[in-house]
Short mmCIF file of all heavy atoms in Angstrom, two decimals:
data_model
loop_
_atom_site.label_atom_id
_atom_site.label_comp_id
_atom_site.label_asym_id
_atom_site.label_seq_id
_atom_site.Cartn_x
_atom_site.Cartn_y
_atom_site.Cartn_z
N ILE A 19 85.92 48.22 53.66
CA ILE A 19 85.39 49.37 54.38
C ILE A 19 84.96 50.40 53.34
O ILE A 19 85.72 50.71 52.42
CB ILE A 19 86.45 49.98 55.32
CG1 ILE A 19 86.85 48.96 56.38
CG2 ILE A 19 85.93 51.25 55.97
CD1 ILE A 19 88.00 49.40 57.27
N THR A 20 83.73 50.88 53.46
CA THR A 20 83.23 51.90 52.54
C THR A 20 83.06 53.21 53.29
O THR A 20 82.82 53.22 54.50
CB THR A 20 81.88 51.49 51.92
OG1 THR A 20 80.92 51.33 52.96
CG2 THR A 20 81.99 50.19 51.13
N GLY A 21 83.18 54.31 52.56
CA GLY A 21 83.01 55.62 53.15
C GLY A 21 81.56 55.89 53.52
O GLY A 21 80.66 55.13 53.16
N PRO A 22 81.29 56.99 54.22
CA PRO A 22 79.93 57.33 54.65
C PRO A 22 78.92 57.43 53.49
O PRO A 22 77.75 57.17 53.67
CB PRO A 22 80.08 58.68 55.34
CG PRO A 22 81.51 58.74 55.74
CD PRO A 22 82.27 57.95 54.71
N ARG A 23 79.41 57.76 52.30
CA ARG A 23 78.51 57.86 51.14
C ARG A 23 78.63 56.65 50.22
O ARG A 23 78.15 56.67 49.10
CB ARG A 23 78.80 59.14 50.36
CG ARG A 23 78.37 60.37 51.16
CD ARG A 23 78.58 61.62 50.36
NE ARG A 23 79.75 62.30 50.92
CZ ARG A 23 80.39 63.30 50.35
NH1 ARG A 23 80.01 63.75 49.18
NH2 ARG A 23 81.40 63.86 50.94
N GLY A 24 79.31 55.61 50.69
CA GLY A 24 79.41 54.37 49.92
C GLY A 24 80.62 54.25 49.03
O GLY A 24 80.77 53.26 48.31
N GLY A 25 81.50 55.23 49.06
CA GLY A 25 82.70 55.18 48.23
C GLY A 25 83.71 54.15 48.72
O GLY A 25 83.78 53.83 49.90
N SER A 26 84.50 53.64 47.81
CA SER A 26 85.51 52.64 48.11
C SER A 26 86.70 53.26 48.85
O SER A 26 87.13 54.36 48.53
CB SER A 26 85.99 52.02 46.80
OG SER A 26 87.05 51.12 47.04
N THR A 27 87.22 52.53 49.85
CA THR A 27 88.43 52.98 50.55
C THR A 27 89.63 52.14 50.17
O THR A 27 90.76 52.53 50.42
CB THR A 27 88.25 52.88 52.09
OG1 THR A 27 88.06 51.51 52.44
CG2 THR A 27 87.10 53.73 52.58
N GLY A 28 89.38 50.95 49.59
CA GLY A 28 90.47 50.06 49.22
C GLY A 28 91.01 49.26 50.40
O GLY A 28 91.97 48.52 50.26
N ILE A 29 90.39 49.39 51.56
CA ILE A 29 90.83 48.68 52.77
C ILE A 29 89.87 47.53 53.04
O ILE A 29 88.65 47.73 53.06
CB ILE A 29 90.88 49.62 53.98
CG1 ILE A 29 91.83 50.78 53.69
CG2 ILE A 29 91.31 48.87 55.24
CD1 ILE A 29 91.75 51.91 54.70
N GLU A 30 90.42 46.33 53.23
CA GLU A 30 89.58 45.15 53.48
C GLU A 30 89.95 44.50 54.81
O GLU A 30 91.08 44.61 55.28
CB GLU A 30 89.74 44.13 52.36
CG GLU A 30 89.21 44.61 51.03
CD GLU A 30 89.30 43.56 49.95
OE1 GLU A 30 90.07 42.59 50.08
OE2 GLU A 30 88.57 43.70 48.95
N ARG A 31 88.97 43.82 55.37
CA ARG A 31 89.14 43.03 56.59
C ARG A 31 88.60 41.64 56.33
O ARG A 31 87.57 41.48 55.68
CB ARG A 31 88.39 43.65 57.76
CG ARG A 31 88.81 45.05 58.12
CD ARG A 31 90.17 45.03 58.80
NE ARG A 31 90.55 46.37 59.24
CZ ARG A 31 91.50 47.08 58.65
NH1 ARG A 31 92.14 46.61 57.62
NH2 ARG A 31 91.82 48.27 59.11
N THR A 32 89.28 40.62 56.84
CA THR A 32 88.79 39.25 56.73
C THR A 32 87.95 38.96 57.95
O THR A 32 88.40 39.14 59.08
CB THR A 32 89.98 38.26 56.66
OG1 THR A 32 90.79 38.61 55.54
CG2 THR A 32 89.48 36.83 56.51
N VAL A 33 86.71 38.49 57.72
CA VAL A 33 85.79 38.23 58.82
C VAL A 33 85.16 36.86 58.62
O VAL A 33 84.78 36.49 57.50
CB VAL A 33 84.68 39.31 58.91
CG1 VAL A 33 83.80 39.09 60.12
CG2 VAL A 33 85.29 40.70 58.97
N THR A 34 85.05 36.09 59.69
CA THR A 34 84.43 34.77 59.67
C THR A 34 82.94 34.89 59.92
O THR A 34 82.51 35.72 60.73
CB THR A 34 85.07 33.88 60.77
OG1 THR A 34 86.48 33.84 60.56
CG2 THR A 34 84.51 32.47 60.72
N LYS A 35 82.15 34.06 59.23
CA LYS A 35 80.70 34.06 59.38
C LYS A 35 80.31 34.00 60.86
O LYS A 35 80.84 33.20 61.62
CB LYS A 35 80.09 32.87 58.63
CG LYS A 35 78.59 32.79 58.76
CD LYS A 35 78.05 31.60 58.02
CE LYS A 35 76.54 31.51 58.19
NZ LYS A 35 75.99 30.37 57.45
N GLY A 36 79.39 34.88 61.24
CA GLY A 36 78.89 34.90 62.62
C GLY A 36 79.68 35.79 63.56
O GLY A 36 79.23 36.10 64.66
N GLU A 37 80.86 36.23 63.14
CA GLU A 37 81.68 37.12 63.97
C GLU A 37 81.24 38.57 63.72
O GLU A 37 80.83 38.91 62.61
CB GLU A 37 83.16 36.96 63.63
CG GLU A 37 83.73 35.60 64.00
CD GLU A 37 83.74 35.36 65.49
OE1 GLU A 37 84.07 36.28 66.25
OE2 GLU A 37 83.39 34.24 65.89
N PRO A 38 81.37 39.44 64.71
CA PRO A 38 81.00 40.84 64.48
C PRO A 38 82.02 41.55 63.59
O PRO A 38 83.22 41.28 63.68
CB PRO A 38 80.98 41.44 65.89
CG PRO A 38 81.83 40.54 66.71
CD PRO A 38 81.75 39.18 66.09
N LEU A 39 81.53 42.43 62.74
CA LEU A 39 82.42 43.24 61.91
C LEU A 39 83.15 44.22 62.83
O LEU A 39 82.55 44.79 63.74
CB LEU A 39 81.62 43.98 60.84
CG LEU A 39 81.01 43.05 59.79
CD1 LEU A 39 79.90 43.75 59.02
CD2 LEU A 39 82.07 42.55 58.84
N PRO A 40 84.46 44.41 62.61
CA PRO A 40 85.24 45.25 63.52
C PRO A 40 84.90 46.74 63.40
O PRO A 40 84.29 47.17 62.42
CB PRO A 40 86.69 45.00 63.06
CG PRO A 40 86.58 44.53 61.66
CD PRO A 40 85.26 43.82 61.54
N PRO A 41 85.33 47.53 64.39
CA PRO A 41 85.11 48.98 64.31
C PRO A 41 85.83 49.53 63.08
O PRO A 41 86.93 49.08 62.74
CB PRO A 41 85.76 49.51 65.58
CG PRO A 41 85.88 48.35 66.49
CD PRO A 41 86.01 47.14 65.62
N PRO A 42 85.24 50.50 62.39
CA PRO A 42 85.89 51.08 61.22
C PRO A 42 86.96 52.09 61.63
O PRO A 42 87.13 52.39 62.81
CB PRO A 42 84.74 51.78 60.49
CG PRO A 42 83.84 52.19 61.60
CD PRO A 42 83.92 51.09 62.62
N LEU A 43 87.66 52.61 60.64
CA LEU A 43 88.71 53.59 60.90
C LEU A 43 88.14 54.96 61.27
O LEU A 43 88.71 55.69 62.06
CB LEU A 43 89.62 53.73 59.68
CG LEU A 43 90.27 52.41 59.21
CD1 LEU A 43 90.99 52.61 57.90
CD2 LEU A 43 91.20 51.88 60.29
N LYS A 44 87.00 55.30 60.64
CA LYS A 44 86.36 56.60 60.87
C LYS A 44 84.86 56.41 61.09
O LYS A 44 84.27 55.46 60.60
CB LYS A 44 86.57 57.53 59.67
CG LYS A 44 88.02 57.89 59.43
CD LYS A 44 88.14 58.80 58.23
CE LYS A 44 89.60 59.13 57.97
NZ LYS A 44 89.76 59.96 56.76
N SER A 45 84.26 57.36 61.76
CA SER A 45 82.83 57.33 62.01
C SER A 45 82.06 57.36 60.69
O SER A 45 82.44 58.05 59.75
CB SER A 45 82.44 58.53 62.87
OG SER A 45 81.06 58.54 63.09
N GLY A 46 80.98 56.59 60.62
CA GLY A 46 80.12 56.59 59.44
C GLY A 46 80.48 55.56 58.39
O GLY A 46 79.74 55.34 57.45
N GLN A 47 81.64 54.91 58.54
CA GLN A 47 82.03 53.91 57.57
C GLN A 47 81.27 52.60 57.81
O GLN A 47 80.86 52.31 58.93
CB GLN A 47 83.54 53.65 57.63
CG GLN A 47 84.35 54.83 57.15
CD GLN A 47 85.84 54.58 57.26
OE1 GLN A 47 86.32 53.92 58.17
NE2 GLN A 47 86.59 55.13 56.32
N GLN A 48 81.08 51.84 56.73
CA GLN A 48 80.40 50.56 56.80
C GLN A 48 81.22 49.53 56.04
O GLN A 48 82.34 49.82 55.60
CB GLN A 48 78.99 50.67 56.24
CG GLN A 48 78.11 51.57 57.06
CD GLN A 48 76.64 51.49 56.65
OE1 GLN A 48 76.28 50.86 55.67
NE2 GLN A 48 75.79 52.11 57.43
N TYR A 49 80.67 48.33 55.88
CA TYR A 49 81.36 47.25 55.19
C TYR A 49 80.54 46.71 54.04
O TYR A 49 79.31 46.73 54.07
CB TYR A 49 81.63 46.09 56.17
CG TYR A 49 82.69 46.42 57.19
CD1 TYR A 49 82.35 47.00 58.41
CD2 TYR A 49 84.02 46.17 56.94
CE1 TYR A 49 83.31 47.30 59.35
CE2 TYR A 49 85.00 46.49 57.87
CZ TYR A 49 84.64 47.04 59.07
OH TYR A 49 85.60 47.35 59.99
N LYS A 50 81.25 46.21 53.02
CA LYS A 50 80.62 45.58 51.87
C LYS A 50 81.38 44.29 51.59
O LYS A 50 82.63 44.30 51.53
CB LYS A 50 80.70 46.53 50.67
CG LYS A 50 80.17 45.98 49.38
CD LYS A 50 80.15 47.02 48.29
CE LYS A 50 81.54 47.48 47.94
NZ LYS A 50 81.61 48.37 46.78
N LEU A 51 80.68 43.17 51.43
CA LEU A 51 81.33 41.89 51.13
C LEU A 51 81.85 41.95 49.70
O LEU A 51 81.09 42.14 48.76
CB LEU A 51 80.33 40.74 51.29
CG LEU A 51 80.87 39.35 51.00
CD1 LEU A 51 81.99 38.98 51.96
CD2 LEU A 51 79.74 38.32 51.08
#
Side-chain angles (χ1 to χ4, degrees):
I19 297 174
T20 61
R23 291 184 254 167
S26 175
T27 63
I29 301 169
E30 294 184 340
R31 300 287 184 251
T32 302
V33 185
T34 304
K35 179 181 178 179
E37 293 295 318
L39 292 163
L43 303 173
K44 296 180 181 177
S45 178
Q47 291 178 325
Q48 295 191 353
Y49 289 90
K50 176 174 64 173
L51 180 63

